[in-house]
Amino acid sequence: MADASSRLGGAIRGRTAVVAAGSTKQGTIPGISADELAVEGLRVTLAQSGIDKSAIDGLITCKSYGGFGIDTEIGRLAGLNPAYSATLDYGTCNFSFHLACAVIDAGLAGVVAIVYGTNQRSAGNKFSHPLGRQDEASVYGFLNVAGPAAMAFRRHQMQFGTTEADLAEISVSQRRYATDNPLAIFREPMTVDDYLAAPYLVAPLRRADLCMISDGAACLIVARADRAAELTDKPVHVMGIAQQTGLRDRQNADQWLRPWIRSVAERVYPAAGIDQDGVDALYIQDPTSIWVLQMLEHYGFVETGGVGEAFRSGAVGHGGKLPLNTNGGQLSEAYMWGFLHLVEAVRQLRGEAGDRQVGGLTTAQYCSTFGFMKAASTILSTEVR
């Protein structure tokens, strides 16, 4: 008998839509708490969209560094009495976004604000707490994602002959987009030679392979399809969503390469009624460049071991056939747990991305992970097919 996930099909297709997306400035914002930043993100998004706060009847938040981000506190500060509210421990936007879609589809709310704010840069997050399991932190020193990512790239190098110059193409492409993004923290031009000349941070990874933590906030407002039409003349429709976990951890074969991510690809395209060729712009959560490499392969956009050539040939990346992380991603724009990827996807689909606007976009895909534990993807479109 087929498992439940295989029966989802196109159940979510066209039933919900993004009606607004916004963000605060990014970088160092001292003197304001993460919760206050989150509320500011909501305020900015409502103001820019023209949506009245009274329309919000659902609130989804994510915990952030320092114990902030709880829905009860953010709702109080924002002056909201929503019919539904919840907090995810680790949202990375896709997981929060999917929860919002499910809440709307279940009839628990009709217009849901997804809000995230953090002040971990100015508050001084030193990554002193273990990343993942306590035993791995004590034995291997994995207090930051850089360690596991370095191990994953070494594994990829050994299996497929991938070079550091191949990996460089990811960071260089995203930096090119960031030069046109006033929100980005890193906007200085960078070449492959510049990348290779930089010292290792956690060998074989360099500074450009890893994101920079930041202060800031982001917000998306998702609505039931009929409500969306009342709130905006530019709805961005949710066409497909899918998730997969790797909770067995080291029990999984070749866990460094996270092959279970492919299960998301097997479900999200049928759910949206398209294949990879139907994606006009791609967004991949990138606390490290290695995650981009892996997901390009697992979602079928790049042949295994062929990431460098895909960028050099113009198949993927800045100026290429498939735009990738047009905001600069977490590697150049800001950390924000991947929330800004979906904000950027919405802006691009609505033609509101300014100097970095890519023409002719109707469909975008966002892929994210929670380290070695979870993966998720969302496909958005200006059209319901």
Side-chain angles (χ1 to χ4, degrees):
M1 184 173 70
D3 64 21
S5 62
S6 68
R7 297 196 299 270
L8 292 175
I12 202 71
R13 193 186 307 168
R15 297 171 71 96
T16 55
V18 181
V19 295
S23 60
T24 65
K25 68 177 183 178
Q26 301 292 308
T28 303
I29 311 174
I32 182 170
S33 74
D35 285 348
E36 290 169 330
L37 283 167
V39 173
E40 177 63 6
L42 173 62
R43 186 197 67 78
V44 167
T45 304
L46 290 171
Q48 290 176 347
S49 66
I51 296 173
D52 192 87
K53 186 173 68 174
S54 62
I56 305 297
D57 63 355
L59 175 66
I60 294 174
T61 70
C62 296
K63 288 184 182 179
S64 61
Y65 172 73
F68 292 99
I70 307 303
D71 58 316
T72 51
E73 183 62 11
I74 291 177
R76 183 186 69 82
L77 291 173
L80 290 172
N81 268 339
Y84 175 91
S85 73
T87 300
L88 294 184
D89 189 63
Y90 191 83
T92 65
C93 203
N94 251 336
F95 302 110
S96 303
F97 192 83
H98 293 183
L99 177 58
C101 292
V103 165
I104 291 170
D105 211 43
L108 294 173
V111 183
V112 178
I114 307 168
V115 182
Y116 176 71
T118 182
N119 67 341
Q120 61 180 308
R121 184 167 180 78
S122 60
N125 185 355
K126 302 300 183 184
F127 292 97
S128 57
H129 299 290
L131 177 72
R133 303 200 325 252
Q134 295 278 346
D135 57 333
E136 287 199 338
S138 61
V139 174
Y140 305 119
F142 288 160
L143 296 175
N144 182 282
V145 72
M151 296 286 283
F153 186 53
R154 286 296 194 212
R155 177 66 171 158
H156 203 277
Q157 286 182 297
M158 185 274 291
Q159 281 197 303
F160 308 114
T162 313
T163 68
E164 293 176 24
D166 292 333
L167 187 65
E169 296 287 350
I170 295 170
S171 301
V172 169
S173 172
Q174 294 188 193
R175 182 63 61 84
R176 288 173 179 159
Y177 284 117
T179 60
D180 290 326
N181 183 1
L183 203 64
I185 294 173
F186 296 117
R187 300 182 67 188
E188 305 82 4
M190 179 176 62
T191 66
V192 171
D193 287 341
D194 293 333
Y195 170 98
L196 294 173
Y200 291 126
L201 197 60
V202 180
L205 307 186
R206 296 167 167 85
R207 166 69 266 175
D209 292 306
L210 302 165
C211 67
M212 173 69 80
I213 61 172
S214 56
D215 299 341
C219 173
L220 291 111
I221 299 177
V222 186
R224 195 175 64 238
D226 60 325
R227 292 286 285 123
E230 300 169 1
L231 295 171
T232 181
D233 59 356
K234 291 183 177 180
V236 174
H237 306 282
V238 182
M239 299 303 292
I241 61 175
Q243 296 189 20
Q244 177 62 48
T245 75
L247 300 182
R248 287 165 52 93
D249 199 33
R250 297 296 180 265
Q251 300 172 69
N252 295 319
D254 222 349
Q255 177 71 345
W256 288 125
L257 299 184
R258 308 185 297 175
W260 40 269
I261 292 175
R262 294 175 195 144
S263 296
V264 184
E266 291 170 0
R267 294 195 293 272
V268 73
Y269 299 113
I274 64 170
D275 58 18
Q276 290 87 341
D277 290 338
V279 176
D280 299 320
L282 181 63
Y283 296 87
I284 296 179
Q285 186 202 17
D286 52 329
T288 83
S289 58
I290 315 307
W291 285 189
V292 178
L293 182 158
Q294 289 184 350
M295 284 189 264
L296 281 170
E297 294 181 345
H298 292 328
Y299 283 92
F301 291 101
V302 168
E303 291 290 330
T304 302
V307 68
E309 181 55 30
F311 280 89
R312 288 187 288 268
S313 70
V316 177
H318 189 275
K321 180 180 177 182
L322 179 65
L324 172 67
N325 288 350
T326 56
N327 53 340
Q330 289 171 269
L331 299 181
S332 285
E333 184 184 36
Y335 179 39
M336 291 299 294
W337 272 4
F339 274 76
L340 292 176
H341 291 69
L342 264 181
V343 170
E344 172 73 4
V346 172
R347 286 172 174 160
Q348 285 282 347
L349 289 171
R350 298 175 89 172
E352 299 171 349
D355 291 341
R356 65 188 181 281
Q357 181 66 50
V358 179
L361 301 184
T362 61
T363 302
Q365 180 178 0
Y366 175 44
C367 310
S368 70
T369 62
F370 176 14
F372 293 89
M373 289 175 270
K374 296 181 181 181
S377 188
T378 299
I379 295 177
L380 302 170
S381 182
T382 56
E383 305 170 352
V384 178
R385 304 186 183 95

